Amino acid sequence: MAGLEIQGIKKGFGQQQILRGIDLSIADGEFVVFVGPSGCGKSTLLRTICGLENSDEGAVLIGGKDMTDVAPAARGIAMVFQSYALYPHMTVYDNMAFALKLAGLPQDEIHSKVTQAAAILRIEPLLQRKPKELSGGQRQRVAIGRAIVRQPQVFLFDEPLSNLDAALRVQMRIELKNLHRTLRSTMIYVTHDQVEAMTLADRIVVLRGGVVEQVGAPLDLYQRPANLFVAGFLGSPAMNFVGGTVEQLAPAMMSVRLAGGALVQVVLRAGLAVGDRITLGVRAEHMALEAADGDGIAVTVLAAELLGDASYVYLTLDGGATQFIARTDPEVRWQNGQLAVVRVDPVRWHMFDSDGLAI
Ligand SMILES: Nc1ncnc2c1ncn2[C@@H]1O[C@H](COP(=O)(O)OP(=O)(O)OP(=O)(O)O)[C@@H](O)[C@H]1O
Ligand SMILES: [Mg+2]
């Protein structure tokens, strides 16, 4: 097993710069999840780590060893893709044994590795089937099994569960977590699924445009995003934002005048002065929506989505220039066009300066 150092990785295709200097230190046995918008370079970074792409600058170290001149097959890495890429004419057993046969391992050693991996993944009864005789989840398990038998130092997963239905994803997510606990290997995992990122990761890496925006434990990123981008990217529904101007500073609190005219109280942050323009952010679950008029931010209900365990209520303020989404009690019904007020606990507001950095 081994940790991983990614040092100043830059990579372009033609004129287009894709990775713009990535530095990351991943500990031995850590589970790290990459998230970021489509096209930000997640797969390119994985392919660079395993050697399928060469970087233009920088180096990847595995277990302290520079991999620049090491062939992909010799890096001790196994990659699992979204498309399972199984050999259709081979049985499950042969699919899993293939790389070991190529490496010239003796039959009995191959047999013990394949049966061991099959036991971990609970696919022993399927070993003699062909891929077309398997469900999507079973195929994905075979693809993971094929990686396990190679006993890699590092596993790379590129959206491995995105072809599965919701129930199977949940099951496979828990199995992956257990697999990590059993194998204790270093794992890097790319996903678009917020829940997978939050639940699987020891640390999440948020990427945008080939740059690392923030790295940290899932709850740290959720509760203390470093900038507007991370704040808006993590969490579903996304954080609500509204512009404001600092109007009054007091010892512990300050008053901020929001676009649209409402005055809200927020916890004082150092370094702000009266008149400063800031962006305020608040999560959907931290907004109290009430029909009564009175104190609070005046809003108009645009639409409500009933989800069963909660409702998402779409609100407008500032004459429609700003939209909020509130997560509310599903028992309370809202009518389109209804007037209401939003109240937010002063400690729940996030604040960002004009460069988008958290204050
Ligand atoms: N071989 C290639 N030649 C040219 N451009 C490429 C190549 N591979 C990737 N790109 C471009 O590099 C950018 C990053 O692609 P990449 O596949 O790394 O994104 P991603 O973050 O994995 O996105 P997604 O979430 O959609 O999978 C994209 O603009 C893509 O078009
Ligand atoms: Mg990708």
Side-chain angles (χ1 to χ4, degrees):
M1 284 196 278
L4 204 91
E5 296 285 333
I6 298 167
Q7 300 176 339
I9 289 287
K10 291 188 183 171
K11 169 81 187 163
F13 292 110
Q15 294 299 311
Q16 206 188 358
Q17 199 61 26
I18 304 299
L19 303 176
R20 298 166 184 272
I22 306 275
D23 291 288
L24 271 180
S25 210
I26 296 172
D28 184 12
E30 200 175 9
F31 200 125
V32 169
V33 173
F34 292 172
V35 297
S38 197
C40 72
K42 303 179 294 294
S43 297
T44 305
L45 184 53
L46 284 195
R47 292 168 60 78
T48 307
I49 292 170
C50 72
L52 293 174
E53 302 282 359
N54 292 320
S55 62
D56 302 331
E57 278 179 48
V60 174
L61 279 65
I62 299 176
K65 191 165 176 287
D66 190 337
M67 291 290 123
T68 307
D69 298 317
V70 179
R75 292 188 177 195
I77 294 181
M79 188 148 166
V80 179
F81 300 93
Q82 173 181 358
S83 64
Y84 322 117
L86 300 176
Y87 300 109
H89 58 288
M90 288 185 194
T91 62
V92 167
Y93 184 98
D94 289 334
N95 263 285
M96 286 167 68
F98 188 69
L100 305 180
K101 280 184 188 159
L102 275 190
L105 260 65
Q107 282 297 338
D108 54 339
E109 202 175 316
I110 294 178
H111 186 75
S112 95
K113 283 185 189 233
V114 170
T115 46
Q116 228 176 343
I120 291 173
L121 296 165
R122 292 182 286 109
I123 50 173
E124 294 128 304
L126 309 176
L127 284 171
Q128 293 315 316
R129 294 205 200 163
K130 298 271 178 63
K132 68 169 189 295
E133 299 160 335
L134 302 176
S135 74
Q138 291 167 337
R139 281 178 213 173
Q140 192 51 273
R141 256 173 262 177
V142 177
I144 294 169
R146 207 169 40 175
I148 292 176
V149 295
R150 295 174 50 202
Q151 294 177 312
Q153 313 197 59
V154 180
F155 283 86
L156 306 181
F157 294 97
D158 198 351
E159 305 192 52
L161 308 186
S162 50
N163 285 340
L164 307 181
D165 72 35
L168 204 48
R169 287 179 80 119
V170 174
Q171 189 190 336
M172 285 298 294
R173 192 172 80 213
I174 291 162
E175 288 183 10
L176 273 170
K177 189 92 182 165
N178 287 333
L179 183 70
H180 181 242
R181 227 170 263 138
T182 308
L183 301 178
R184 301 184 167 281
S185 316
T186 308
M187 295 188 173
I188 305 179
Y189 189 97
V190 171
T191 185
H192 278 108
D193 186 307
Q194 299 263 345
V195 181
E196 280 177 24
M198 294 299 290
T199 55
L200 287 172
D202 293 320
R203 284 188 304 158
I204 294 177
V205 177
V206 182
L207 293 159
R208 176 172 64 157
V211 173
V212 174
E213 289 282 332
Q214 193 175 1
V215 183
L219 272 185
D220 281 344
L221 295 203
Y222 190 80
Q223 293 170 345
R224 285 180 291 280
N227 56 43
L228 269 176
F229 176 75
V230 175
F233 188 79
L234 287 182
S236 177
M239 188 184 282
N240 299 290
F241 297 112
V242 59
T245 307
V246 178
E247 192 157 296
Q248 199 176 33
L249 299 172
M253 290 288 180
M254 58 187 200
S255 309
V256 178
R257 181 74 63 185
L258 302 188
L263 194 65
V264 297
Q265 300 297 307
V266 304
V267 174
L268 185 73
R269 306 291 207 279
L272 284 175
V274 169
D276 281 353
R277 307 264 315 137
I278 59 175
T279 300
L280 291 180
V282 60
R283 296 214 179 266
E285 65 267 31
H286 294 148
M287 301 166 67
L289 184 64
E290 286 168 35
D293 50 27
D295 260 13
I297 307 163
V299 293
T300 307
V301 175
L302 198 64
E305 291 178 333
L306 306 181
L307 300 177
D309 63 332
S311 293
Y312 292 161
V313 186
Y314 294 75
L315 308 163
T316 58
L317 58 154
D318 188 17
T322 303
Q323 212 184 81
F324 275 179
I325 304 176
R327 186 187 160 95
T328 67
D329 181 348
E331 299 304 327
V332 182
R333 297 298 167 85
W334 296 94
Q335 306 300 325
N336 298 355
Q338 192 176 340
L339 300 178
V341 293
V342 163
R343 294 196 189 95
V344 177
D345 187 326
V347 302
R348 293 300 189 183
W349 287 109
H350 295 257
M351 267 177 271
F352 305 90
D353 65 19
S354 52
D355 295 322
L357 299 178
I359 305 172

